[in-house]
Amino acid sequence: MKNLDQRNQIIEHSLKLNSTNLSPLRSGNISLRAEQDNIQGYLITPSGKKYETLKPEDIVFMGLSEEAENNDSVNKPSSEWRFHRDIYVNKKDAQAIVHAHSPHATAVSSHGKSIPPFHYMIALAGGEDIKCAEYATFGTKELSQNVIKALENRSACLMSNHGQVAFGKNLDQAFELAQEIENICHQYTIALKLGEPKILSLEEMKKVLEKAKDYKKG
């Protein structure tokens, strides 16, 4: 089977979505940039299947110029295939994507606001704050455009009334970043219970962003 190792990686991390409670039941989706039959594209989890039942042949290959309606796979790709594709097209350093309906990120996203730099770990997403993409119906071109906008100069964002998305140079990195975003959102919700948290200055965040480059390498 083509891209068997990558297909197994996707299944492994899909199971982790459930076991870590990063995305319960069938929610969320995972993809990896891939090439198949000399076509540049990505492998993505199928629509509607429980992660515990996934087999390598269930993982769907999509070309970067392909529309889901034209895919001849037995399984339909995740309904969110569009923003996965558009991230790969617009972010050359994106090799893997994790989209999760993680509890705290989803709760924060329901307010449709960016997360300010109340903690320096915000920098792990690549900017001085974590943007929240404006709401649009799942699976639509509009949602994909909103996500791409929120990911400008960043490798993760919230999705209003929906969840979060993160990408990295491999699945381990993308998954870990998604876990970091969920943890940051959890901390933010706790901080808000005590009132408005102190916000770090833009000058301080610029220092942190520079230091974060070495942190990510480590």
Side-chain angles (χ1 to χ4, degrees), residues 83-98:
F83 73 67
H84 284 259
R85 181 195 66 182
D86 291 349
I87 290 173
Y88 288 126
V89 169
N90 288 276
K91 302 284 187 178
K92 303 305 179 185
D93 54 338
Q95 297 296 318
I97 298 169
V98 173

Side-chain angles (χ1 to χ4, degrees), residues 108 111 187-197:
V108 174
H111 291 270
Q187 293 170 337
Y188 189 48
T189 58
I190 294 172
L192 288 174
K193 291 178 181 179
L194 301 175
E196 286 297 322

Side-chain angles (χ1 to χ4, degrees), residues 65-79:
S65 60
E66 185 178 358
E67 297 288 319
E69 293 75 14
N70 300 327
N71 188 276
D72 58 3
S73 172
V74 174
N75 294 305
K76 292 182 178 180
S78 165
S79 59

Side-chain angles (χ1 to χ4, degrees), residues 96-131:
I97 298 169
V98 173
H99 166 50
H101 297 180
S102 52
H104 295 95
T106 301
V108 174
S109 81
S110 69
H111 291 270
K113 297 179 180 179
S114 299
I115 301 179
F118 76 101
H119 194 290
Y120 67 85
M121 290 290 275
I122 290 280
L124 290 181
E128 68 276 6
D129 61 5
I130 296 176
K131 300 292 186 186

